[in-house]
Amino acid sequence: MEPRDYIPAYLEREYLASHEGLTPAARSLVHEEIQRDPARYATTEHAQALVAYARAHEHLMLELERMEELTDQEFEKRRDRLFAETRSALHDIARADRLCIDARLVEIMLANVPIDACLNDLMKLEGEIHEHLAADPAFDDDAPGYWREDRLGGMSCAERTRTDPVMIGWLHTLEAISQLAMASARYRASAEYAQKVMRARGYANRAYGTVLLALARLEDEDGFFAAARQADKAADAGADADAGSTDVASREPGLSDSVEDSPWYLLGRTLLLFKLGRRKNARRALKDFAARCEGGAFFLLNPTYLTPYLPVRPPVREVWELSHQAVWEADGIIVDTPDFCTWAAQVEGIEDISENFARQYGF
């Protein structure tokens, strides 16, 4: 979830809580003003830390985007400098406010350390955040969406999540752990952490994609299709919870699609059938993936760099970016599946679909 979504939502919730009795017109005006200038409404140390994080994060992502056309050598040099500068800024923010969770999370993720060390730090952070959340009488690990609505004072579970920076930080940390667990071949753990994220309400995500890829790698056919059905039910519940939400993330291209239409499902099914040795079915699944997922064939046959998730999957502007994300996340599985890409390139029609996409979008 992007800072531009949850931080203004938090500031608005805090303002309205301290200014009871505002008319609908006044509430609408407050909403517009906070969206336009969040810093003006950051009157507490926690709010100021959140706004400082949002600025640091925006600067980080904009600078990374500007580096895309650099040579590899210049890219690495400027990226390393950017990461070091950003880590320093995030460290100062986190030192001022330990509950600015995303500042601490991204600082950990930018560290130049082995993946196991990074995972260890993330898990320590997750445990600390969970302990803090568990001290809230309304938080309940066993409740739908993690909140007891009878203890939220009339607020819905989804609204509490989308306006609580600590809760958002915890979910971001769970997602980051699941992604790094996937990258380090801890597939069962990856699926388990992602399933925790899926239970949230008011938090737009595609954590089911991580679950499906992990189960495909584990060749768990029954688990894969059961997880897809579970994800569809969770998506339906999330859509009901998000009804009326103005979150930017809820309007992403492809977000409301069925899980079985997603590139994670279609690619995961192809990998699963290929690994199980059912080549005829795998070939049909690959053609389905290539036909239904714009850019899927291209990114599969032409591995293409993707800006690292800092801290989680970013929102997409074009539907084909979903295919790019899915293939990028499956990279370790694909590399660890001998002959998969060679086989895929030889399936009739796949290279043509790839080349047509490349011409259309200038790749």
Side-chain angles (χ1 to χ4, degrees):
M1 197 168 183
E2 294 294 286
R4 65 174 177 267
D5 297 325
Y6 73 85
I7 293 176
Y10 164 75
L11 295 174
E12 183 174 345
R13 187 190 80 184
E14 292 297 291
Y15 185 89
L16 295 178
S18 61
H19 294 76
E20 296 181 359
L22 293 180
T23 65
R27 294 169 69 95
S28 178
L29 181 60
V30 167
H31 174 78
E32 292 174 4
E33 289 184 348
I34 291 177
Q35 291 292 327
R36 183 165 49 249
D37 185 12
R40 179 182 171 190
Y41 290 82
T43 57
T44 66
E45 289 185 359
H46 182 52
Q48 290 162 4
L50 292 170
V51 170
Y53 164 73
R55 289 171 174 165
H57 184 266
E58 182 179 21
H59 175 74
L60 169 67
M61 304 313 293
L62 284 174
E63 289 302 309
L64 282 172
E65 189 173 341
R66 290 186 181 125
M67 295 179 191
E68 288 181 357
E69 302 303 320
L70 297 176
T71 64
D72 289 349
Q73 184 177 8
E74 183 64 19
F75 174 82
E76 290 180 10
K77 183 169 65 175
R78 289 183 55 180
R79 181 193 58 188
D80 291 347
R81 184 166 63 244
L82 174 65
F83 282 7
E85 291 170 352
T86 305
R87 285 198 76 217
S88 177
L90 295 175
H91 180 78
D92 290 343
I93 293 168
R95 184 172 56 184
D97 182 5
R98 301 295 287 172
L99 287 180
C100 188
I101 305 302
D102 272 353
R104 298 173 64 187
L105 171 58
V106 178
E107 182 189 358
I108 291 170
M109 297 180 75
L110 291 177
N112 185 20
V113 298
I115 193 169
D116 284 0
C118 186
L119 263 173
N120 185 55
D121 289 341
L122 290 179
M123 293 178 73
K124 287 180 181 177
L125 177 63
E126 188 275 327
E128 181 184 332
I129 310 166
H130 184 267
E131 185 177 351
H132 174 84
L133 288 168
D136 187 326
F139 182 86
D140 185 345
D141 278 303
D142 297 323
Y146 295 108
W147 296 107
R148 291 275 303 274
E149 293 202 348
D150 59 327
R151 298 180 180 179
L152 289 178
M155 185 182 297
S156 71
C157 169
E159 185 182 0
R160 175 59 188 267
T161 291
R162 73 167 63 95
T163 61
D164 188 331
V166 176
M167 182 65 174
I168 296 297
W170 181 57
L171 294 169
H172 283 172
T173 304
L174 291 173
E175 276 205 76
I177 291 172
S178 73
Q179 290 287 343
L180 279 186
M182 171 79 76
S184 58
R186 296 171 169 92
Y187 301 112
R188 191 64 66 184
S190 176
E192 289 172 358
Y193 277 98
Q195 284 169 331
K196 291 183 179 182
V197 177
M198 287 172 59
R199 291 184 49 217
R201 297 291 177 265
Y203 175 74
N205 68 89
R206 294 189 178 88
Y208 67 80
T210 305
V211 177
L212 293 175
L213 291 178
L215 293 175
R217 173 60 182 82
L218 292 168
E219 301 179 29
D220 184 351
E221 184 174 9
D222 291 340
F224 179 90
F225 291 108
R229 291 190 295 271
Q230 177 192 7
D232 261 329
K233 291 180 182 177
D236 289 342
D240 291 340
D242 286 334
S245 168
T246 57
D247 284 357
V248 172
S250 68
R251 300 192 297 273
E252 283 185 33
L255 187 64
S256 61
D257 292 347
S258 165
V259 168
E260 293 188 6
D261 293 327
S262 76
W264 286 273
Y265 173 85
L266 294 166
L267 176 61
R269 182 180 62 173
T270 305
L271 283 162
L272 172 66
L273 294 170
F274 182 87
K275 292 181 70 64
L276 291 173
R278 287 153 48 186
R279 297 300 171 86
K280 183 181 293 186
N281 288 337
R283 186 164 58 251
R284 291 171 180 162
L286 175 64
K287 288 185 174 184
D288 200 21
F289 167 68
R292 295 167 63 188
C293 298
E294 191 171 8
F298 173 80
F299 294 114
L300 183 59
L301 302 186
N302 303 273
T304 306
Y305 178 77
L306 184 65
T307 301
Y309 299 163
L310 295 169
V312 293
R313 287 187 187 100
V316 300
R317 294 161 292 190
E318 303 285 348
V319 173
W320 59 260
E321 293 177 28
L322 298 176
S323 300
H324 193 182
Q325 289 181 354
V327 176
W328 175 263
E329 292 167 22
D331 181 67
I333 299 172
I334 293 169
V335 169
D336 195 35
T337 306
D339 302 327
F340 178 74
C341 280
T342 303
W343 165 81
Q346 294 172 349
V347 171
E348 183 182 1
I350 299 302
E351 282 197 344
D352 289 340
I353 295 173
S354 171
E355 290 173 7
N356 288 338
F357 173 83
R359 281 194 297 270
Q360 182 178 352
Y361 289 97
F363 278 91

